[in-house]
Every structure is written in C-alpha cells, then in structure tokens.
C-alpha cells in the first residue's frame, strides 16, 4: 500500500466516525427545535399584534384631535358672528376678512399643526383662505347642507401631504352660516407612532380611509412615503380590517416577503391601520430564541467529533509516518526544481570557471536567449556590453571571491542588443571542504521601476495637466534666479497671470473643456516667451512667469503685452470659439522685494489691481499697493482677535409704531472699538470679515450678545423685539439653525422677541437654499424680515414663498419722500404689496416729521431713524423707554 492509499484509508475512517456523531446531533437538534420554534412564533406574533393595536390607537387619537381642533376653530363666537353678518349683507367681504383673518391665524398658530384653511359662507363660496392652497377636495367638504364634521384624505398638494377636516359654523341660533375646511399636516403622526412602537427598521405603515378609499403609506418614523387614492386598489387586508377582526398575513413579493399586521381604528369608524415588516425581521427574534439551545447541542456534538478525531489521529499518524518519510526526499527534489524554474527572477547557475550550466525560464524570457545559446557561455561575454566585458572579468569576480558575493545595479544586454537596467547578485556555492564549486547569478529587469521613478520625479515638479513647472519647481527656479541676479547685479521680474472669464467658461461648458482651454493657453504663452524664461501653472487658472536678465523695466512690460496679444485670437476648443483675456501683475527685483514670497505676493497684488483697472491688462506693483496691503493685513490680524479681546460693541437703534409712537423693538448694530484706530466703521471691517471667513464668529457673538440683552429687558418687563442682521455667509453655511436654537436655549429669550434680518440681494442669489433655511428658522418661533427691500429687484414669485413676517424699506427710498414722486410711488407699492401678502412693514432712515407723517398716512406699520434715536447703548434705550412710558 503506497502513501496515497494509506492516506485515503485513514481519511475514510475519520469521516465515518465524525459523520456518525454529527447525524446523532442533528436528530437531537430537530427534536428540540420544532416545539421551541412554534412557541417562539406565537410570542413574537402576539407582540406585533399588540404593537399594531397601539399604533392604530395613536392614529385614531390624532384623527380625533384634528376633528376637535376643527370644531373649536369653527365655534369661535366673534368670527362666527362676523360671518353671519356677512351672510346677511350687513358688512362687506373686506370687513369680514380684516376682522376674522388675524384671529383665525392666531388660532391656527396655537394649534401648531394646521397648514392651511378655507372658510366658506352659507352658500358654499370661499370667503377666507389662510396658509397653503387647498386642493379641489376641500370644496366637496363645504356642502351647504353638511352640518356634521367630515374628513377626507389624506391628499397630496405641492406643499406636502394633509388630512382635510370640515367643521360646520353654526350661529347662536343654531343655523348653518358657513363651513371651515382645514388641512392638517401628517408630521404630527411621527411622535405618537414612534412612542406606540419602537420605529423598527424597514417598517411600512398604512392608514386606510374606508370612506374615500384613500391610503397613506408612512415610514417607521411617521414620515409620509406616498399617498394613493381610490383609483389604486388598496390591499385586501386594509378593507377587511375596517369591519373585521384584527389579524396578520404573509405577503409574497418580487423582492423580500412581508409580514403584515392589521386592525380597525376603533376611535374612527370606517378607518383601518396596518404595518408590515420584512419577513426576515419577523422571524429573526423567533430564530434567536432557539439559537442558544441549538448552539449548545452543536457545541456538544462538535466536542464529541473533535475528541473522536483526536483519539484516532495518533494511530493514523504512526501508520503514515514511514510512508511520508520515504516520499519527502523525492518531493524536496521536485520542489527545488519547480522553484528554480518558476522563479520570477532570472537565475543562472555557473561552474567554477564562470560558464553557464543551467538557466531558468525567467532568464530566457528576460534576455531573449535560448537555453542552448546560454549553455557553456561565460557570463560576462554573454550579458555585458563589449566595452564592459574586460572590467567585468577583472572586477566582478574579484569582488565576489573577496566578499563572498556581490549585488548592485548594473546594465545588461539582451540577445537583440537592447541594453536594460537590472538589479543583479552573484553568490558562490562551496562544497563541504570550502572550495567554490558553482556560482548562482540572479537578476531582475528594473526598467519599469526606473521609468516609474522618473515619472514620479517629473510629476513632483510639473503640473499634470499642462506639463508646465508647478509651484515647487517654480520656487526652486526663482530661488536660483534670485541668486544669479544678486551675483551679477541684474534685474528679474515675476509676472502673476490670472485668466479673465475662465470660471464662467468652466462652469458653463464643463471642466473637460476648461482643462483643454488651459492647455491651449499654456501653449500660446510658451510661444511668447524665451527658452530661458520659466512659465509655471500654480493652480486653477493662475500662471506665473519668471523673466531673468532684464535690461530695463520696459522689457517686462513688452513680455506682458505679448502674453496678452497671443490671447487676442479666439481659441478653438471642442468645437467652441472661445474668447479669453488675462490680468497680469508685475513685480521687479530688487525694487519690489528681495525674497520669493515678497515678489510673488507683490505680483499677486498688482494682478488684482489690473482686474480693478478693467481686466485684460497688466499693472506694475506700486508703493501705494504695499501700503494698502499692509493696512489690510493689520486690519485682518486685529479683527481675528477683536472678539477675544472684547473690542466689539453693540449699539441699539429703537424702532417705534408709526401711529402710537410706542417703542416696539430695537435693531442690534455692531461696532468695533479698536485700541489704536478708535471706532472702526462696519463698512470697513464687515467686508474684510466676510472675505476671510471670520463673519461667522462675529455673527455668533452678535446674536448671543443681543439675545442676552433682550432677555434682560424682558425680565425687567420690556418685551422689546430685537432685530439681528444675518450675513450672506451665515445663511449659505450649514449650522445657522442650530446656532439660533442654542442661543435661544442658553439665553432663555422668548423666540417671538427675536427677529432675523436678511438682505434682499443675498436672497436672490440662492433662493431655493434660502427658502429651506428660512423655513427651518421659522419653525423655531422667531420672526423674519427682509432688509433693504426694493434694492434687489425682487421676484414676486419667490417672495410669496419666503416665510417672512416683515419688509424693511431701504433708507434710499425714504429720504426722498414726500417730495420725490418716484420714491413716493415705490414706498406706496411696497406697502400695498405687503398688505396683500399679509406682511408688516418698517421704514428705516426716517429723519424728520414730514417723512413720518407721510409714512403714517400711507399705513406704514413701524419706523426707525434719527428722528426717533441714533444707535445708542442699552442704558440710553432704557431711558427712552422710561421717557415714553
């Protein structure tokens, strides 16, 4: 019996012994698992049935609450009587709306979950609409003969998903005088559903209205996923649950199967509720309950199998030991031969006279020689270039014999005559007496590695798009150029180039076109320069040129002119005829600086001056620029420390009611008290703060300080609304809503006393993003105002979507009234538009009684300006309050 047969026999013995133990364990596991599975299935099913009943009760309570809120709003006596007077033609529609709208809006705000409503008169005609526009289904609920509360939906509108509830409006004598139809948002279902059932992952919730046939599908969090009406057939179990008993059903789908639990909503006859989870989520806890006993059985069976195998193993090993020892010698020889031939390195075995006697496949593949061509040939004569063969014989073998081997980088020759770089090692092989019998030469073609290293070195110093020197190589060449200029007393110029209109082309035609345009521009610039000049791309659409050995300043100007001239011809890129210019700033050594940073910075500053001069031109750096740059740097440096040093101040300009003159609010205005400059104008430091990204920190300080002051006034009995300006960067960046929430929480200020002002110009730049952010801010309870209204060419289609409360008329329109007819017309238009949109208006910059009288007669709500007060510290605001009181 050979080794393979012995191994096969021992494996069969092991296999049968282990299989017997495993089959026994499987039978025991089945006898245990089946009854436990049934019991666990019943427990999990009952738990889910309790969960669906709890959620159905939560939905029912939501529907009852919505119905009760509708009745309460419809039963408000004052607005109900006004509607009755309107029905009897005792008052006009405008008088009824003017009286009813604010009171009903107050009731809607207190309810908190009503997105909109329509009030109908006794004949079913809409007379008052608030909030979102209601769908056509609302009209059907407003039947003149309907005297009971009715519900329909949920329905879908452009603003979201809502439940419509109608409530009859009865006069004091019990007669029907109208109907209210209200739209309740479904977001209020989120909290009760999550409390009723722990928001299981991948849960789908279904609410079915048996009266209208409408079904709404909710996520586990209560968020609406979709609504499908009676035209889409509701699942059978939802219709069955309206009048039938609760139950569960396994639903097969194309994807994972679902387990559905359903029940009627007892609080609301005709409605049913169901939730479904993936079948795998249902069966997982069932399986977990039987996992432990089955794991114990598996562990015991595995232990038995292991013990059996360990008992049999020594006997099998003794039987196999002899056969294994006999086979090892043959295997080791075969392994050595296979390793030698399969090695990715070229391996040559030579005799003591340096002649090749064996070569593996890699050596044949690398050199191109056949086995017969290598056999018996000296190593140096075969693989080394003719001019190096003599040194090879003299030096290589001397080093090998002297140092018992050698390795290093060298150049070898293929059969074709091609020279390639190689990493080579030569090692002598001694016999038992120490005499060298053979040599082993190993080598690897490292051509790819050398080329990769060269490419890496190139990429480290060149722009990958244009192949021009990058910033690192530019710095190195500029350093060498400065050294030469210092030694020889010559001039050197740095040209900083920024392409005009490149961002517009890049954004409109795409980045691939923009990249190809940069390559074309780089080629044109290269043609306008000398070979010894350096053209570098340092990023984006910015290039830098180094001009050495200048004879005069005019030489730099002539080169700049040539660079602009090569861009005058249209550039053909991807079928587009593109026109592009450049703004070039020039700095000179040694006039403008003696270091790399100084020259590049001065050229960059001059480039911005070229842009200010109209673009597509060049400018030299001037001392005036240096002074402005230094002052701006110092201002920026001091501004970064202004908050920590407590140098910022807040002044407050009062805002008053146009009719009564009562102070109703203040606007917080930031000032910077610099220790050496004195009072710095906001017009100077706010743009700098926005440009360097520091406005967020200043804005946060202003918001917190203003809210803290308003809270102190609130505690003293002065409920003053405080207006805080938001910068465009604050609205554009994430985290504004969280900041306002945290400030209100920390200061304790009532949200309705905080008004956030947003300039109209920024709103028009990012309307959709601003709408989302403003809605989130509005949900905190604060009020919102548009500052400088009328200066940004507003789009009314967006204005009606903005959740703002107040418009602020810019002072430029106020200063001309009542003498300037254009200003009078603009102010009248703003006031009329605000009234129609239900917005309040405040006019700023009021400086005389004539202006105030005109605004009061035009029904402007509030005003601020020097007529009332300049911006003053908190103590003077309190003095004004006491004086008015």
């Amino acid at each position: 019996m050979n080794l393979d047969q012995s191994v096969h026999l021992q494996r069969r013995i092991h296999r049968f012994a282990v299989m017997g133990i495993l089959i026994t364990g499987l039978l025991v596991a089945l006898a245990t698992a089946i009854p436990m599975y049934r019991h666990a299935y019943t427990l999990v099913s009952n738990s889910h049935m309790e969960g669906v009943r709890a959620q159905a009760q939560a939905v029912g309570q939501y529907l009852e609450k919505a119905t009760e809120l509708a009745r309460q709003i419809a039963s408000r006596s004052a607005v109900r009587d006004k509607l009755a007077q309107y029905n009897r033609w005792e008052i006009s529609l405008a008088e009824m709306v003017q009286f009813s709208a604010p009171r009903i809006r107050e009731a809607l705000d207190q309810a908190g979950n009503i997105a909109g409503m329509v009030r109908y008169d006794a004949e079913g005609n809409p007379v008052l609409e608030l909030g979102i526009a209601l769908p056509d289904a609302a009209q059907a609920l407003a039947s003149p003969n309907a005297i009971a509360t009715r519900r329909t939906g949920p329905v879908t509108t452009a603003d979201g998903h809502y439940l419509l509830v109608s409530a009859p409006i009865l006069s004091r004598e019990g007669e029907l005088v109208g109907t209210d139809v209200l739209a309740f948002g479904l977001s209020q279902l989120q909290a009760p559903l999550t409390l009723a059932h722990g928001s299981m992952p991948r849960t789908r919730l279904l609410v079915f209205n048996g009266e209208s046939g409408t079904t709404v599908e909710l996520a586990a969090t209560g968020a609406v996923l979709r609504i499908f009406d009676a035209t889409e057939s509701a699942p059978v179990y939802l219709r069955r649950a309206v009048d039938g008993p609760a139950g569960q059903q396994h639903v097969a789908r194309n994807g994972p199967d679902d387990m559905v639990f359903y029940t009627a909503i007892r609080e609301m006859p005709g409605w049913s509720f169901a939730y479904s989870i993936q079948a795998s989520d249902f069966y997982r806890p069932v399986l977990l309950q039987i996992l432990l006993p089955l794991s114990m059985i598996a562990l015991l069976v595995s232990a038995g199998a292991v013990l059996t195998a360990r008992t049999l193993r020594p006997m099998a090993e003794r039987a196999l030991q002899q056969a294994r020892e006999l086979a090892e010698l043959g295997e080791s020889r075969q392994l050595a031969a296979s390793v030698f031939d399969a090695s990715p390195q070229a391996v040559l075995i030579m005799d003591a006279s340096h002649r090749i006697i064996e070569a593996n496949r890699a050596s044949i593949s690398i050199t191109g020689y056949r086995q017969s061509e290598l056999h018996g040939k000296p190593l140096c004569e075969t693989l080394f270039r003719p001019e190096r063969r003599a040194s090879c014989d003299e030096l290589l073998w001397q080093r090998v014999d002297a140092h018992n081997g050698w390795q290093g980088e060298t150049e070898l020759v293929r059969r074709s005559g091609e020279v390639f770089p190689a990493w080579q090692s030569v090692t002598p092989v001694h016999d038992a007496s120490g005499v060298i019998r053979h040599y082993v030469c190993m080598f690897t073609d490292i051509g790819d590695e050398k080329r990769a290293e060269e490419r890496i070195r190139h990429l480290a110093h060149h722009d990958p798009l244009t192949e021009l020197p990058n910033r690192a190589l530019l710095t190195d060449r500029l350093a060498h150029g400065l050294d030469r200029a210092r030694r020889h007393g010559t001039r050197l110029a740095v040209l900083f180039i920024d392409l005009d209109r490149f961002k517009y082309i890049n954004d409109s035609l795409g980045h691939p076109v923009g990249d190809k345009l940069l390559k074309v521009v780089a080629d044109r610039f290269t043609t306008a320069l000398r070979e010894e000049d350096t053209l570098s791309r340092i990023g984006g659409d910015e290039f830098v040129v180094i001009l050495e050995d200048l004879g005069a300043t005019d030489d730099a100007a002539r080169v700049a002119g040539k660079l602009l001239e090569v861009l005058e011809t249209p550039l053909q890129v991807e079928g587009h005829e593109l026109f592009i210019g450049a703004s070039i700033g020039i700095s000179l050594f040694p006039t403008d600086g003696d270091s790399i940073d100084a020259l590049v910075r001065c050229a960059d500053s001059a480039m911005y001056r070229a842009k200010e001069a109209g673009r597509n031109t060049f400018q030299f750096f001037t001392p005036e620029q240096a002074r402005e740059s230094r002052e701006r740097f110092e201002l920026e440096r001091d501004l970064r420390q202004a908050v920590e040093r407590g140098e910022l101040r807040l002044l407050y300009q009062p805002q008053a009611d146009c009719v009564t003159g009562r102070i109703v609010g203040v606007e917080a205005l930031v000032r910077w008290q610099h220790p050496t400059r004195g009072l710095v104008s906001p017009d100077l430091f706010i743009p700098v703060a926005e440009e360097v990204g520091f406005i967020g920190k200043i804005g946060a300080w202003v918001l917190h300080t203003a809210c803290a002051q308003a809270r102190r006034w609130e505690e003293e009995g002065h409920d003053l609304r405080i207006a805080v300006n938001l910068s465009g960067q604050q609205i554009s960046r994430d985290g504004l809503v969280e900041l306002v929430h945290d400030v209100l929480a920390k200061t304790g200020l009532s949200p309705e006393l905080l008004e956030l002002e947003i300039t109209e110009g920024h709103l028009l730049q990012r309307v959709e993003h601003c709408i989302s952010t403003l809605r989130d801010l509005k949900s905190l309870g604060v009020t919102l105002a548009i500052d400088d209204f009328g200066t940004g060419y507003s789009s009314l289609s967006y204005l009606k979507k903005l959740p703002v409360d107040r418009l602020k008329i810019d002072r430029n329109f106020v200063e001309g009234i009542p003498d300037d007819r254009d200003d009078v017309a603009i102010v009248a238009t703003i006031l009329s538009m605000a009234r129609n949109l239900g917005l309040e208006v405040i006019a700023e910059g009021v400086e005389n009684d004539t202006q105030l009288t005109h605004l009061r007669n035009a029904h402007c709500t509030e005003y601020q300006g020097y007529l009332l007060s300049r911006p003053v510290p908190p103590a003077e605001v309190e003095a004004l309050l006491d004086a008015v009181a």
Side-chain angles (χ1 to χ4, degrees), residues 36 97 217 230 244 257 283 366 371 408 441 497 556 587 626 637 722 729 754 805 828:
M36 293 185 65
V97 171
E217 180 180 350
D257 290 353
Y283 287 107
I366 293 174
Q371 181 78 254
C441 174
I497 309 170
S587 63
R637 179 198 61 197
I722 188 157
Q729 290 187 15
L754 174 61
D805 306 279

Side-chain angles (χ1 to χ4, degrees), residues 40-327:
Y41 182 96
T42 302
L43 290 177
V44 174
S45 179
N46 291 340
S47 174
H48 281 291
M49 286 306 302
E50 289 298 323
V52 77
R53 291 190 182 95
Q55 287 189 307
Q57 183 180 10
V59 174
Q61 291 172 351
Y62 165 78
L63 296 174
E64 285 185 329
K65 180 180 177 182
T67 303
E68 182 58 28
L69 284 173
R71 293 195 189 101
Q72 291 177 4
I73 292 174
S75 63
R76 294 173 71 93
S77 59
V79 293
R80 177 192 62 192
D81 293 342
K82 285 294 181 181
L83 180 59
Q85 290 178 335
Y86 169 77
N87 286 337
R88 295 193 299 269
W89 297 87
E90 296 176 1
I91 61 174
S92 67
L93 174 62
E95 292 175 325
M96 186 276 290
V97 171
Q98 183 178 10
F99 179 86
S100 303
R103 291 165 174 80
I104 295 178
R105 186 180 290 109
E106 179 184 5
L108 296 180
D109 292 341
Q110 292 176 353
N113 189 37
I114 301 175
M117 71 157 287
V118 178
R119 170 157 288 192
Y120 296 86
D121 61 17
E123 295 178 1
N125 299 315
V127 295
L128 176 60
E129 296 183 19
L130 296 175
I132 66 169
L134 271 56
D136 295 338
Q139 184 70 43
L141 292 178
S143 173
N145 299 322
I147 60 173
T149 302
R150 303 166 66 192
R151 293 163 298 277
T152 190
V155 297
T156 300
T157 72
D159 298 290
H161 310 287
Y162 302 96
L163 173 71
L164 300 184
V165 179
S166 70
I169 306 173
L170 302 179
S171 67
R172 298 179 184 273
E173 292 76 25
E175 295 180 354
L176 181 68
V177 298
T179 306
D180 280 346
V181 179
L182 297 92
F184 288 85
L186 299 182
S187 61
Q188 293 296 317
L189 278 173
Q190 180 174 352
L193 287 177
T194 304
L195 291 174
H197 189 69
S199 62
M200 197 173 197
R202 299 182 291 186
T203 300
R204 295 171 56 247
L205 311 178
L206 299 171
V207 181
F208 175 64
N209 182 353
E211 298 174 0
S212 62
T214 304
T215 305
V216 58
E217 180 180 350
L218 308 171
T221 60
V224 176
L225 296 178
R226 63 171 179 157
I227 293 178
F228 38 98
D229 55 26
T231 60
E232 301 180 64
S233 178
V236 176
Y237 50 82
L238 283 173
R239 298 181 181 276
R240 185 190 309 140
V242 171
D243 299 314
Q248 68 184 69
Q249 180 176 335
H250 189 106
V251 179
R253 301 186 182 276
N254 293 333
D257 290 353
D258 288 345
M259 186 67 73
V260 180
F261 300 85
Y262 55 86
T263 184
I265 300 177
R266 302 303 179 192
E267 295 80 355
M268 199 60 56
W271 292 62
S272 62
F273 175 83
Y275 79 77
S276 68
I277 60 173
Q278 288 192 7
S280 58
D281 292 337
F282 173 83
Y283 287 107
R284 187 176 296 110
V286 176
L287 298 177
L288 287 175
Q289 292 196 36
I290 65 175
L291 180 62
L292 179 60
L294 291 181
S295 299
M296 292 299 297
I297 294 173
L299 181 62
L300 293 174
V301 171
S302 300
V306 171
L307 290 175
T308 300
R310 293 187 64 180
T311 302
L312 295 176
R313 186 178 296 114
M315 295 183 291
E317 288 179 352
R318 282 193 298 271
L320 296 175
Q321 182 64 31
Q322 186 176 7
R324 183 179 295 111
E325 291 175 354
L326 294 175

Side-chain angles (χ1 to χ4, degrees), residues 385-431:
R385 290 183 294 174
E387 62 270 20
R388 295 195 57 199
R389 289 171 185 169
S391 61
C392 170
D393 285 329
E394 295 177 4
L395 298 178
L396 174 62
W397 298 115
Q398 291 177 8
R399 292 176 182 175
V400 171
D401 294 338
H403 300 285
N404 198 33
W406 172 87
Q407 65 175 355
E409 185 178 330
T410 186
E411 290 183 340
L412 301 180
V413 181
R414 305 188 204 275
R415 186 176 184 272
S416 62
E418 177 191 355
V419 178
F420 66 95
W423 184 263
Q424 183 183 27
S425 67
V426 180
T427 305
V429 180
H430 303 81
D431 62 11

